[in-house]
Amino acid sequence: QVQLVESGGGLVQAGGSLRLSCAASGRTFNRYALGWFRQASGKEREFVAAISWTSVRTYYAVSVKGRFTISRDSAKNTGYLQMDSLKPEDTAVYYCAADPRGLSNSSSFYTYWGQGTQVTVSS
């Protein structure tokens, strides 16, 4: 069993930066792939980024590639999403998710989810 808790969301102006954290409990978390998804009001949840448990492989949505960076710190049982050059269209609730089976850009693939953290980007 893995429990995930996101933090780091908030209000930022366009062009600014935020770093989201995903703190995990459970000693096997370091063998789980980690994904970040977001859901804007009235829209479906969409893939943002994912990282393998070894950190060797990373994937990004086209809309965030070059602006967002996913990483993880195994010693701290924590994943991160560094978000730079934020745009108003990045406004959403951001969720982290984990699964032992590997990477995916599909939200239905992931077994464990956090409660989400709100990111609001003002223009």
Side-chain angles (χ1 to χ4, degrees):
Q1 188 79 5
V2 173
Q3 292 184 325
L4 305 173
V5 179
E6 302 97 333
S7 62
L11 174 63
V12 64
Q13 288 188 331
S17 298
L18 283 174
R19 187 176 80 156
L20 304 183
S21 298
C22 175
S25 63
R27 59 183 179 180
T28 60
F29 171 72
N30 292 331
R31 292 298 184 107
Y32 285 42
L34 175 68
W36 284 95
F37 292 79
R38 66 187 182 186
Q39 188 166 17
S41 180
K43 296 187 177 181
E44 293 186 355
R45 192 168 298 188
E46 66 173 1
F47 171 74
V48 175
I51 187 168
S52 63
W53 70 270
T54 61
S55 299
V56 169
R57 292 185 295 156
T58 57
Y59 294 109
Y60 294 93
V62 171
S63 60
V64 307
K65 196 168 186 178
R67 299 188 298 121
F68 290 11
T69 304
I70 189 171
S71 63
R72 64 193 302 164
D73 185 333
S74 297
K76 296 182 178 179
N77 257 17
T78 301
Y80 302 98
L81 184 68
Q82 177 66 42
M83 305 186 296
D84 298 318
S85 302
L86 282 162
K87 304 175 181 180
E89 51 263 44
D90 294 318
T91 295
V93 177
Y94 283 71
Y95 299 90
C96 65
D99 199 279
R101 296 170 291 169
L103 287 179
S104 175
N105 63 358
S106 172
S107 61
S108 62
F109 176 85
Y110 289 85
T111 302
Y112 301 102
W113 289 84
Q115 82 290 348
T117 185
Q118 176 70 47
V119 171
T120 303
V121 184
S122 63
S123 57

